Amino acid sequence: MERTAADPGPVFAALADPTRREVVRLLAAQPGLTASALADELPVSRQAIAKHLAQLRDAGLAEAEHTGRETRYRLTPEPLAGAMEWMVAAGAQWDTRLERLKRRL
Amino acid sequence: MELHEAVGALRREIILDAPRDAVWELVAEPDGLAGWLADDVDLPAVEPGAEGTVLEGGELRRVTIEEVEDGRRVALSWCAPGGDPSLVELTLDDAEDGRTRMVVVEVPLATLRAVAVRTEDAWAAAGRTRGPQMAVAA
């Protein structure tokens, strides 16, 4: 699924949850972890991990790799760059707006 | 923790060298917003439910006023062409020496929906503390 800088919602939404941020942190450190391995590292069930992984995949932040009977996950962080671009662009616009407001007072 | 910290939304804070009622005039009237929020503001009023457009740098955004708390806060949603809608909250507070603090928060709407879902997750997590084998309700 393609994401652009103008469409940051799904990425921010995916990262709005602290457990998902932990999943992202673990996958960044150890690419190729399985859902069970992630569940061992975090105080949540394997089913909950599976749900979080599905949301990360929907946001384009993770992909699954099927090897034999195992499914391994790795990060695909490109959409993060889009979300950061939105943040930087929107931030610059607000800096401009607030400067204009200051001058009007 | 504030919402914007939890979700990584955009936040700006500025101290304005004017009393709050003077700043409010530039927030609570379409003519006040024009010239700083955007080049042009086409809104019937700054009232909940009011819909219109703002033009900024040649880009036209659809805008809806969501909430107004007199003298203190305006929340609006807007959407750039081809963009994701976001919620903007402008909050005014009295600062020292008759000045005014304005806090701006902008959050993509999809993020807010995710935070609402997270509350349900929190309940599920609370239930799960009773036993590690307990399955999470979908």
Side-chain angles (χ1 to χ4, degrees):
Chain A
M1 204 182 296
E2 257 191 23
R3 299 284 176 206
T4 65
D7 187 15
V11 174
F12 286 137
L15 296 178
D17 182 277
T19 304
R20 281 200 290 284
R21 287 199 296 270
E22 277 300 296
V23 169
V24 166
R25 194 181 61 76
L26 287 166
L27 288 178
Q30 301 170 68
L33 284 178
T34 63
S36 301
L38 285 162
D40 288 344
E41 299 277 340
L42 296 169
V44 295
S45 69
R46 198 191 161 285
Q47 292 97 318
I49 291 289
K51 219 169 123 187
H52 288 308
L53 285 167
Q55 279 169 286
L56 290 171
R57 288 172 68 184
D58 287 346
L61 287 171
E63 63 182 13
E65 189 183 81
H66 303 283
T67 50
R69 297 175 65 178
E70 277 183 340
T71 304
R72 297 180 170 278
Y73 293 88
R74 60 187 71 252
L75 292 183
T76 48
E78 291 81 8
L80 262 186
M84 289 315 294
E85 273 171 43
W86 176 83
M87 190 77 105
V88 169
Q93 285 181 316
W94 277 109
D95 291 339
T96 304
R97 291 178 193 125
L98 293 175
E99 271 310 307
R100 287 195 298 234
L101 175 61
K102 242 180 178 173
R103 284 200 300 270
R104 288 200 46 180
L105 286 162
Chain B
M1 197 191 307
E2 301 267 338
L3 179 62
H4 72 272
E5 291 168 335
V7 301
L10 183 73
R11 184 181 190 278
R12 288 290 188 275
E13 183 175 328
I14 190 175
I15 300 288
L16 296 160
D17 200 8
R20 188 147 59 101
D21 53 354
V23 179
W24 182 248
E25 283 178 22
L26 297 183
V27 169
E29 292 290 336
D31 288 347
L33 290 168
W36 76 266
L37 183 72
D39 303 326
D40 274 314
V41 174
D42 183 6
L43 269 171
V46 179
E47 289 171 4
E51 291 181 12
T53 55
V54 300
L55 184 69
E56 186 182 29
E59 184 184 82
L60 195 69
R61 291 173 188 238
R62 283 184 293 107
V63 60
T64 304
I65 304 295
E66 303 287 348
E67 288 176 32
V68 177
E69 195 180 323
D70 196 32
R72 195 178 128 74
R73 193 173 72 94
V74 170
L76 58 87
S77 57
W78 64 12
C79 189
D84 202 45
S86 58
L87 187 74
V88 173
E89 201 177 46
L90 307 169
T91 308
L92 305 182
D93 275 305
D94 294 325
E96 280 176 18
D97 305 322
R99 294 187 294 174
T100 304
R101 175 182 301 103
M102 178 187 265
V103 175
V104 177
V105 176
E106 181 165 6
V107 196
L109 284 182
T111 305
L112 288 177
R113 283 193 290 269
V115 173
V117 167
R118 198 178 68 196
T119 311
E120 293 168 27
D121 287 351
W123 283 109
R128 203 162 52 236
T129 57
R130 279 178 274 153
Q133 302 305 316
M134 191 178 290
V136 185

